[in-house]
Amino acid sequence: MRWVMGLAMLLSLTATVGAAEQDIELSVGGRTVLATLRTPASMQPETPLVVMTHGTLAHKDMDVIRTLAKALADRGIASLAHTLSLGQDRRKGMYDCATRHDYVTDDAAAEIGAWIRHAQGISRRVYAFGHSRGGNQVARYLAGGASPPLGGAVLLAPVTATAEAALRSSYAATYGKPLEPLLEQATKAVAAGRGGEWMDAPGFIYCRNAVVTARAFASFYGANAGQDTVALVAQLNMPVLVLAASKDAVVPDVATSFATLVGASNGRVQLTTIEDADHFFRDLFAEDAADRIVEFIKQIR
């Protein structure tokens, strides 16, 4: 069995040094994608394993992911943190804004799914996790219905429909030119089958003076139902923990957006606000998040 092989490998890694880290590669869609597996010293087939997806243009080694993964390992929970390819092979670090952009939001689903399946060859108890836009992408993947059975999902400061709308409305103030003509150009190109057509944009997400395909621009700036993380979570048939930060200036409405769903879910969706944390749960706030995740997983067991 695959989990037996995975366990044997993990035990060999942890035998002398306790908690272990291992770099892993997978091939997804013709590209090599990277991840780090962190396991506690007592790794067993029943040890919970959290598959972690990062936020916009970020990577598996960013502080919030790395710090939280280590905090989980200290608490006896394994993690598999991966870097989304964003159209690149073996991508590492933050996305270089000087690089052309050709990827769409839904591209993440295939990679998230591949890592979840890989994780299920290691542990019988696998959970999905996403931070910021990664939280929305995890919810999109799970709502798509293609995922094998999971223990549950954890969304850390997930992007909301309101935050996406704010990104569009602030475009002109941020980049000096109105969004609408650019979005219309991109949308028409996609509709005409020219989604790979390159555009010079004054800005794309966090990047100024970006060269971006029409499909990428339309994916991130066109309003669509997939941007409503709350509605996606409402479709799921699994326990979900949403963690909000009281001083989140990036997605300030996480708690208010999910409040009604939490009340109507009969306990399936849980919401915790971590006081004084910002969007990246720096320092000891990652420890607070880890404590809450542990409580959530124990409840499911």
Side-chain angles (χ1 to χ4, degrees):
M1 297 175 64
R2 288 193 304 157
W3 69 263
V4 174
M5 295 175 62
L7 177 60
M9 174 183 65
L10 291 176
L11 290 177
S12 68
L13 287 170
T14 60
T16 57
V17 296
E21 296 186 8
Q22 179 191 5
D23 292 330
I24 299 175
E25 298 182 356
L26 286 183
S27 178
V28 182
R31 296 187 179 91
T32 299
V33 289
L34 310 177
T36 298
L37 176 67
R38 292 181 175 88
T39 57
S42 58
M43 185 69 192
Q44 301 292 329
E46 296 298 326
T47 299
L49 194 160
V50 179
V51 177
M52 307 180 75
T53 303
H54 58 75
T56 308
L57 303 185
H59 56 99
K60 67 180 178 64
D61 298 311
M62 66 182 301
D63 284 347
V64 63
I65 299 295
R66 184 180 66 252
T67 303
L68 185 54
K70 290 181 177 179
L72 290 174
D74 290 342
R75 290 158 174 78
I77 294 178
S79 64
L80 183 63
H82 67 101
T83 295
L84 294 170
S85 69
L86 302 183
Q88 298 180 9
D89 193 59
R90 298 178 181 274
R91 190 176 75 83
K92 297 180 180 180
M94 293 296 294
Y95 194 94
D96 184 356
C97 284
T99 303
R100 293 186 169 206
H101 302 258
D102 185 19
Y103 47 86
V104 300
T105 302
D106 287 333
D107 285 346
E111 296 177 27
I112 293 170
W115 287 117
I116 285 175
R117 290 188 293 273
H118 184 85
Q120 290 181 321
I122 300 170
S123 170
R124 295 194 185 105
R125 300 174 61 200
V126 175
Y127 301 80
F129 168 99
H131 172 243
S132 195
R133 188 178 299 280
N136 171 263
Q137 290 171 311
V138 165
R140 289 189 191 218
Y141 165 72
L142 296 174
S147 175
L150 294 174
V154 178
L155 307 182
L156 185 71
V159 166
T160 62
T162 301
E164 294 283 22
L167 185 69
R168 292 190 291 273
S169 64
S170 64
Y171 189 91
T174 302
Y175 296 116
K177 291 186 179 180
L179 172 65
E180 290 74 14
L182 293 163
L183 183 56
E184 182 180 7
Q185 176 188 345
T187 302
K188 287 183 176 179
V190 171
R194 306 193 315 273
E197 187 173 282
W198 293 103
M199 301 171 51
D200 291 320
F204 180 65
I205 313 178
Y206 303 141
C207 299
R208 291 186 178 275
N209 302 317
V211 180
V212 55
T213 58
R215 59 179 162 241
F217 199 90
S219 172
F220 281 88
Y221 287 106
N224 63 75
Q227 294 171 343
D228 189 345
T229 309
V230 177
L232 295 173
V233 172
Q235 300 174 35
L236 304 183
N237 186 26
M238 66 178 67
V240 178
L241 171 64
V242 179
L243 294 173
S246 69
K247 294 185 177 179
D248 193 335
V250 179
V251 192
D253 68 313
V254 172
T256 55
S257 292
F258 277 91
T260 300
L261 176 59
V262 169
S265 70
N266 294 320
R268 180 182 65 82
V269 180
Q270 301 179 34
L271 171 67
T272 296
T273 297
I274 296 181
E275 295 299 327
D276 296 323
D278 67 10
H279 187 66
F280 296 99
F281 294 80
R282 294 178 172 87
D283 303 322
L284 293 178
F285 297 117
E287 301 284 337
D288 294 337
D291 286 339
R292 185 63 188 90
I293 293 170
V294 170
E295 293 173 6
F296 172 70
I297 290 175
K298 285 181 177 178
Q299 291 171 7
I300 296 171
R301 185 175 187 145

